[in-house]
Amino acid sequence: MSSIILAGCEQDKTFEKAEALAYHLAANLADYTIEINTIPPEEWDSYKKSVYEENEWALRRARDRKIKKVDELDQLIWRESGELIGNTRDYIELMKHAYGEEVVKVGLFRVQDD
């Protein structure tokens, strides 16, 4: 079972891609669950810092084996276990590896770039 938590700022077009993919995977994979936290812009920086510090990600490597700094993350995506995946780009890359390029393309189909 895969349980993913996504957090991002309202009106963040990049975060919308992560949301669309997460909803697609949750709808099509029996053991894939998601929690999505959309945070108002005025609260985003403090929320992001709080979650980052609570999970001690400054001391723990992310899924890609790198230490990610809070200022480098425009979105926060992690497993329920506390393992940091990273931002939207990191999440999309992980999902491509786990479920295949075509599944990710279908999940992102409805989201258009600016």
Side-chain angles (χ1 to χ4, degrees), residues 3-5 7 47 51 57 76-80 82-85:
S3 186
I4 305 290
I5 303 165
Y47 174 88
V51 171
W57 289 328
L76 293 176
I77 303 172
W78 69 98
R79 294 186 186 277
E80 188 177 50
E83 177 186 39
L84 178 65
I85 294 170

Side-chain angles (χ1 to χ4, degrees), residues 13-54:
K13 296 295 184 190
T14 303
F15 184 62
E16 289 177 9
K17 291 179 182 182
E19 285 182 286
L21 178 57
Y23 282 124
H24 171 72
L25 294 173
N28 291 287
L29 299 172
D31 289 340
Y32 193 91
T33 61
I34 58 172
E35 176 185 328
I36 296 181
N37 301 313
T38 306
I39 310 301
E42 63 274 8
E43 298 174 19
W44 173 243
D45 286 335
S46 62
Y47 174 88
K48 177 173 73 165
K49 184 177 179 185
S50 173
V51 171
Y52 184 87
E53 289 173 356
E54 179 181 312

Side-chain angles (χ1 to χ4, degrees), residues 41-104:
E42 63 274 8
E43 298 174 19
W44 173 243
D45 286 335
S46 62
Y47 174 88
K48 177 173 73 165
K49 184 177 179 185
S50 173
V51 171
Y52 184 87
E53 289 173 356
E54 179 181 312
N55 286 285
E56 299 179 338
W57 289 328
L59 306 173
R60 298 170 54 193
R61 294 180 192 270
R63 177 80 179 158
D64 63 3
R65 309 302 302 148
K66 297 177 183 173
I67 298 287
K68 299 195 184 279
K69 296 179 180 170
V70 70
D71 296 334
E72 298 171 349
L73 298 166
D74 294 327
Q75 307 83 30
L76 293 176
I77 303 172
W78 69 98
R79 294 186 186 277
E80 188 177 50
S81 65
E83 177 186 39
L84 178 65
I85 294 170
N87 59 18
T88 296
R89 185 192 71 240
D90 298 320
Y91 176 62
I92 290 171
E93 288 303 313
L94 179 61
M95 295 304 104
K96 283 179 184 176
H97 178 73
Y99 301 109
E101 184 87 27
E102 194 60 34
V103 171
V104 172

